[in-house]
Amino acid sequence: MALYNFKKIMVVPTAKEFIDITLSKTQRKTPTVVHKHYAIHRIRHFYMRKVKFTQQNYHDRLTQILTDFPKLDDIHPFYADLMNVLYDKDHYKLALGQINIAKNLIDNVAKDYVRLMKYGDSLYRCKQLKRAALGRMCTILKRQKSSLEYLEQVRQHLSRLPSIDPNTRTLLLCGYPNVGKSSFINKVTRADVDVQPYAFTTKSLFVGHMDYRYLRWQVVDTPGILDHPLEDRNTIEMQAITALAHLRAAVLYIMDVSEQCGHTLPEQLELFNSIRPLFANKPLIVVANKCDVKKINELPEENQKIFADLSTEGIPVIETSTLTEEGVMQVKTEACDRLLANRVETKMKGKKVHDVLNRLHLAMPAKRDEKERPPFIPEGALMRKKAMEVDAPKRKLEKDLEMELGDDYILDLQKYWDLMNEEEKHDIVPEVWEGHNIADYIDPEIMKKLEDLEKEEELKERAGEYDSDDDSEDEEMQEIRVLAKQIREKKQLLVMGSREKDIHGPRMPRTATKVERKKLEKEMGELGLDMNDKDESHYAQQAQRRSRSVTKKRKREASAPPLSKTRSQSASRPPRDQSGLRDPKMARKAKKMMKNSQRDMNRQGKKGEADRHVFDLKPKHLLAGKRKSGTNDYR
């Protein structure tokens, strides 16, 4: 809310939930294991901690409740009276007072039992004192059951109250039930108040917001008021009276001229006079509503005299109709202007304004003579202005079309497109065609680029770049070309033949494939190459070099048989696990030490994600600990 955010009040639990939450937290947040053989000071501290922790939890939560709920003496009188009307001030204060007393009693109980626990001489006695302390605290809270339930209902209702700022610019609607207050607020604001053809449709205050002169205004719709003494008015009517009494607002008293609300105009005037003291020092406007049914000049003379008397008293009377919206904006403007003037006047009467006025100086120039000095406009500017004036009719703007057509107007920007063919303006251009984005394939300069490309091609043709030079070649070059073509065809046949072979069989590495010299010379000879006297060629020399380098490996001579099993067959270097060992006994000892050192690593490595795991069927945290008084509660 603007001043008080009642939605942030913490939820008030019931007495049972309060006790469960606190005891559960005590069990979770404090140690749970104590033995009788512990030192007595340790046992005392164990139980003292539980009592103090429980007391602190109760204290914190109750203090939170007391601080969250508004104090009637500290908040704005409007909210104080509204809460008195809705919840009964005495009941509200009594409930908060009982919560405060309960908080103090719990603090005292904890203090007394902690003092007694200092003299506990055994685990049993300390435990019984702890049980008694927690029991008394819970009993105190159980007695606050009704207060806690009442405060929770108040909290829920407070969170649903409208956001009314008592100090901002406000228009307040009041009058008899069913005179058109809710219809008026729906017209001037963004509110959506329920409107029905029966009395007391509005049972509580409703707020709407609007803008006027770049300022934010709130409009408050009050429930209908009946003309009877103040003490006879019910809660619904008292909400309207409270708003009238405490909100600094412009009051719009709405009257039903047609008397369809069930109350005559004299009765409505009586109500106006009875609540008139609440209008003191506030701008007041009388709104004659439902003028679409009957206007003031169509009323009998005695009823017309009612409005005439109000006008003579200086109270403006404005005819309106929320159905046809006649006069609604006039009422809004008049009320806002009067309230702004009233607020300025009130501030001028205050003390703060003198500090500001002392710093301001408004200069008012005085006439030095009676000579007229009209504004001077140079002739050049006047001539330019005249030249800009054109007799041709102005082009209709989209705004003008919208004003003419009204609801039938549709914004059409395609009619302004500059296309070569006017008929194509309203053609639907697809965004996606055959799975492709059309925009990716549109180049606005495509025609220009095509012309440039065609010019370039013409220039190349003229220069003879594309002329064939086959005639200029000699016979030797032509033979080379024919031979190259045959080699390419032969190579392609070899590739296709290799592809037709069984590709799934074992493959030899590329380095191991060897082409015989005779086979190579025969194939090349068939193609027309002269393969005679090729001993000095590169492939013949390579074959000779390779044949020389391939020598038979020297076969290792058989070594003497080993003397023992632990000795290696290689006489040059023994294995690492046997090097440095002088005899089999020492080797066995080393092997045993190796196994022992690897035992932990092997144990860790055996267990994997897929291995079967036997879970602990009796987890200690669930089966050990407190289980007293024959209960199986694990809490």
Side-chain angles (χ1 to χ4, degrees):
M1 296 182 110
L3 285 176
Y4 315 102
N5 195 350
F6 296 140
K7 291 180 175 63
K8 286 189 176 178
I9 300 175
M10 191 185 71
V11 176
V12 182
T14 61
K16 188 176 183 305
E17 289 172 355
F18 215 131
I19 292 166
D20 286 348
I21 291 166
T22 309
L23 292 184
S24 175
K25 193 173 182 182
T26 303
Q27 186 71 359
R28 283 185 287 110
K29 299 281 187 181
T30 55
T32 55
V33 178
V34 67
H35 296 292
K36 59 184 177 183
H37 62 263
Y38 286 171
I40 189 65
H41 70 86
R42 186 175 172 186
I43 295 171
R44 287 174 190 156
H45 179 73
F46 176 86
Y47 286 110
M48 276 184 201
R49 185 173 171 185
K50 284 191 175 294
V51 173
K52 286 179 180 175
F53 188 85
T54 308
Q55 175 262 330
Q56 192 61 44
N57 276 337
Y58 278 132
H59 181 91
D60 292 346
R61 289 187 75 89
L62 293 174
T63 306
Q64 182 72 32
I65 291 170
L66 292 171
T67 52
D68 279 355
F69 277 90
K71 292 183 175 60
L72 296 181
D73 299 333
D74 297 344
I75 60 176
H76 193 275
F78 165 68
Y79 277 114
D81 273 9
L82 189 63
M83 290 179 70
N84 181 28
V85 167
L86 295 171
Y87 317 123
D88 185 10
K89 180 171 67 175
D90 297 334
H91 192 176
Y92 178 76
K93 284 189 171 181
L94 198 63
L96 288 179
Q98 285 177 337
I99 297 296
N100 191 34
I101 291 168
K103 182 189 73 170
N104 294 331
L105 285 175
I106 286 172
D107 292 350
N108 292 335
V109 165
K111 196 189 299 179
D112 293 343
Y113 275 90
V114 166
R115 193 183 298 123
L116 286 172
M117 216 172 279
K118 288 178 182 177
Y119 302 101
D121 54 0
S122 67
L123 184 143
Y124 177 76
R125 188 159 294 177
C126 292
K127 183 178 180 179
Q128 294 304 104
L129 286 170
K130 187 265 300 185
R131 284 186 65 185
L134 266 58
R136 285 189 62 183
M137 290 182 201
C138 296
T139 305
I140 291 168
L141 209 63
K142 278 179 186 173
R143 290 176 184 155
Q144 306 306 319
K145 180 183 175 184
S146 57
S147 297
L148 292 170
E149 288 175 354
Y150 168 76
L151 287 174
E152 173 58 14
Q153 289 178 354
V154 170
R155 184 200 69 80
Q156 291 176 4
H157 200 280
L158 274 175
S159 67
R160 291 193 291 267
L161 278 182
S163 304
I164 299 175
D165 186 353
N167 300 318
T168 193
R169 297 163 291 277
T170 310
L171 303 183
L172 196 64
L173 310 177
C174 63
Y176 263 104
N178 212 26
V179 294
K181 300 185 293 297
S182 299
S183 301
F184 185 86
I185 192 174
N186 287 346
K187 291 294 179 186
V188 298
T189 70
R190 292 180 286 274
D192 185 17
V193 185
D194 188 25
V195 178
Q196 297 294 342
Y198 50 81
F200 287 109
T201 309
T202 305
K203 295 184 176 64
S204 61
L205 298 176
F206 281 91
V207 181
H209 293 87
M210 66 177 187
D211 294 322
Y212 179 72
R213 287 193 180 179
Y214 305 105
L215 298 171
R216 177 54 61 92
W217 297 69
Q218 67 182 8
V219 184
V220 181
D221 179 20
T222 61
I225 309 171
L226 298 176
D227 185 20
H228 47 220
L230 186 67
E231 57 272 9
D232 294 343
R233 290 196 166 103
N234 58 19
T235 305
I236 297 174
E237 295 174 272
M238 284 304 295
Q239 292 180 59
I241 299 296
T242 304
L244 283 168
H246 294 291
L247 293 179
R248 292 187 299 170
V251 179
L252 305 180
Y253 184 77
I254 298 180
M255 299 176 72
D256 184 0
V257 181
S258 66
E259 299 181 352
Q260 289 179 348
C261 62
H263 302 278
T264 61
L265 283 173
E267 288 176 356
Q268 296 179 51
L269 183 65
E270 282 295 322
L271 174 64
F272 176 80
N273 291 327
S274 66
I275 61 173
R276 196 163 183 177
L278 298 172
F279 304 154
N281 302 322
K282 293 175 187 171
L284 176 63
I285 295 175
V286 173
V287 180
N289 197 21
K290 302 185 184 177
C291 68
D292 56 310
V293 179
K294 189 181 288 187
K295 294 189 176 292
I296 293 177
N297 52 20
E298 298 173 4
L299 295 173
E301 287 187 7
E302 59 271 13
N303 289 344
Q304 289 187 28
K305 189 173 182 299
I306 291 172
F307 293 106
D309 293 343
L310 291 172
S311 299
T312 53
E313 292 178 22
I315 301 169
V317 178
I318 302 174
E319 288 186 89
T320 63
S321 169
T322 53
L323 185 66
T324 61
E325 298 189 13
E326 178 188 345
V328 171
M329 289 300 114
Q330 184 187 350
V331 170
K332 171 186 166 181
T333 308
E334 180 74 17
C336 293
D337 290 342
R338 280 176 171 265
L339 182 61
L340 284 175
N342 180 265
R343 284 167 72 91
V344 171
E345 186 182 342
T346 308
K347 286 176 182 174
M348 291 294 289
K349 291 177 183 176
K351 294 180 181 178
K352 289 183 182 178
V353 75
H354 296 298
D355 300 335
V356 179
L357 286 175
N358 290 337
R359 302 177 207 161
L360 298 176
H361 173 68
L362 184 62
M364 296 291 291
K367 279 190 173 185
R368 63 186 179 192
D369 52 30
E370 298 300 322
K371 189 178 179 181
E372 287 292 327
R373 292 180 176 84
F376 171 72
I377 302 173
E379 288 185 12
L382 288 170
M383 289 174 67
R384 271 200 304 272
K385 187 177 179 183
K386 191 174 273 187
M388 288 170 65
E389 292 177 359
V390 183
D391 295 335
K394 289 185 178 179
R395 183 171 66 88
K396 274 193 177 183
L397 302 176
E398 289 295 319
K399 185 179 179 182
D400 303 330
L401 291 172
E402 186 179 2
M403 296 295 289
E404 282 180 18
L405 298 174
D407 293 338
D408 299 330
Y409 171 74
I410 297 171
L411 180 63
D412 182 18
L413 296 177
Q414 286 179 274
K415 63 187 176 187
Y416 298 118
W417 287 3
D418 187 12
L419 300 178
M420 292 175 67
N421 188 358
E422 292 288 328
E423 296 174 358
E424 295 177 357
K425 279 186 178 180
H426 293 280
D427 288 356
I428 297 170
V429 181
E431 291 185 7
V432 177
W433 183 68
E434 291 188 357
H436 299 287
N437 193 347
I438 295 289
D440 295 341
Y441 298 92
I442 292 176
D443 188 355
E445 299 179 357
I446 188 69
M447 299 306 293
K448 184 174 179 296
K449 289 179 181 177
L450 185 60
E451 287 176 9
D452 295 343
L453 193 62
E454 286 175 352
K455 286 178 184 176
E456 188 179 342
E457 290 294 319
E458 284 177 12
L459 291 172
K460 284 184 178 181
E461 283 178 5
R462 286 176 194 166
E465 189 172 330
Y466 298 124
D467 293 343
S468 176
D469 54 351
D470 293 343
D471 302 336
S472 62
E473 292 180 352
D474 55 359
E475 292 181 4
E476 187 181 350
M477 192 62 189
Q478 288 179 2
E479 286 177 5
I480 291 171
R481 286 185 183 281
V482 172
L483 195 58
K485 186 178 179 183
Q486 289 177 352
I487 290 171
R488 280 197 296 271
E489 288 175 357
K490 181 67 176 176
K491 192 175 179 182
Q492 199 169 2
L493 286 170
L494 289 171
V495 169
M496 290 173 66
S498 68
R499 282 179 183 169
E500 289 173 1
K501 289 179 183 177
D502 182 16
I503 61 169
H504 299 292
R507 289 187 176 184
M508 294 292 284
R510 193 174 175 186
T511 54
T513 56
K514 184 172 70 172
V515 181
E516 294 290 337
R517 179 180 172 182
K518 290 180 182 178
K519 185 180 177 184
L520 179 67
E521 289 179 351
K522 183 184 176 185
E523 287 180 355
M524 293 296 112
E526 289 174 358
L527 292 172
L529 287 174
D530 184 16
M531 302 303 291
N532 297 325
D533 300 328
K534 294 289 183 180
D535 293 336
E536 299 300 323
S537 64
H538 70 284
Y539 67 89
Q541 290 176 0
Q542 250 183 356
Q544 288 174 9
R545 206 178 298 124
R546 198 181 300 120
S547 64
R548 280 193 224 107
S549 63
V550 176
T551 58
K552 291 184 179 178
K553 287 187 179 178
R554 181 176 58 85
K555 199 170 184 180
R556 183 184 290 169
E557 296 177 2
S559 58
L563 299 174
S564 65
K565 290 182 180 178
T566 54
R567 296 287 299 219
S568 170
Q569 288 183 359
S570 173
S572 60
R573 183 182 295 174
R576 286 190 63 190
D577 61 338
Q578 295 178 5
S579 64
L581 302 175
R582 62 175 176 267
D583 54 10
K585 186 179 178 183
M586 193 174 181
R588 284 195 297 271
K589 187 178 179 182
K591 200 163 189 177
K592 188 175 181 182
M593 288 171 69
M594 180 189 70
K595 284 187 176 179
N596 287 341
S597 65
Q598 290 181 348
R599 186 181 296 158
D600 290 337
M601 281 192 289
N602 291 343
R603 189 185 299 122
Q604 295 294 333
K606 282 176 186 174
K607 187 175 180 182
E609 289 181 359
D611 292 333
R612 181 168 172 268
H613 176 59
V614 179
F615 293 93
D616 188 1
L617 299 178
K618 291 188 176 181
K620 188 171 182 181
H621 72 283
L622 288 179
L623 297 165
K626 299 183 177 183
R627 191 179 290 192
K628 56 194 178 183
S629 305
T631 63
N632 287 333
D633 191 2
Y634 296 143
R635 181 167 60 85

